[in-house]
Amino acid sequence: SDGSFLNLLPWMAVITNVEEDHLDHYKNLDAIRSAFQEFVRKTGANGVVVLNYDCEETRQLASQVQGKLITYGFADDAQLQSRNWRYEQGVNTADVYLNGILLGTMKLHVPGRHNISNGLAAVAAGLEIGMTFEEITAGLAQFGGARRRFQLLGNVHDIQIIDDYAHHPTEIAATIQAARGVH
């Protein structure tokens, strides 16, 4: 939100999206793009950059990668790809492919396509550090969600009360899509 991520010297960077946000700090989308380009270059020739290929802005960062590039998403040209996404009985599920080869199925207990995408980012990072797909997905299956992200507060007269601090148009749309998928 304040550009302080540029103080980091990452070996690995995972970038889920780049869009107009925190305009109280950044002048405009061009300033945000420039900041992310600088961040990607900080990974250097020995670094790894994991990019969400469903976001056109993150795709544009691929040209800035000096080291290893890993792409993920629902996009047909992503290296790590989600297929057969479904939400059934409280479980968010997708088959995961790496370069067209089925690795297995990822199951999450948080709803929404955006959470499958985030899960893919975790799979990419985990595989890169030597974890097995099974180890990664076992951990993801235990994740119950972040506080104030589609958090069930309770039920009142068969009405579920959900708390979500989504405040950006893309986040709000993802939350609404998740709610529709669940209900």
Side-chain angles (χ1 to χ4, degrees), residues 132-154:
T132 67
F133 180 76
E134 292 74 20
E135 289 170 329
I136 299 163
T137 55
L140 289 172
Q142 297 300 311
F143 179 63
R147 190 168 132 333
R148 299 207 60 216
R149 282 295 189 186
F150 211 84
Q151 180 182 5
L152 176 63
L153 298 181

Side-chain angles (χ1 to χ4, degrees), residues 3-22:
S4 60
F5 76 119
L6 294 175
N7 295 326
L8 301 172
L9 297 172
W11 165 73
M12 181 186 291
V14 176
I15 302 176
T16 59
N17 61 49
V18 175
E19 54 189 22
E20 286 183 308
D21 201 0
H22 305 291

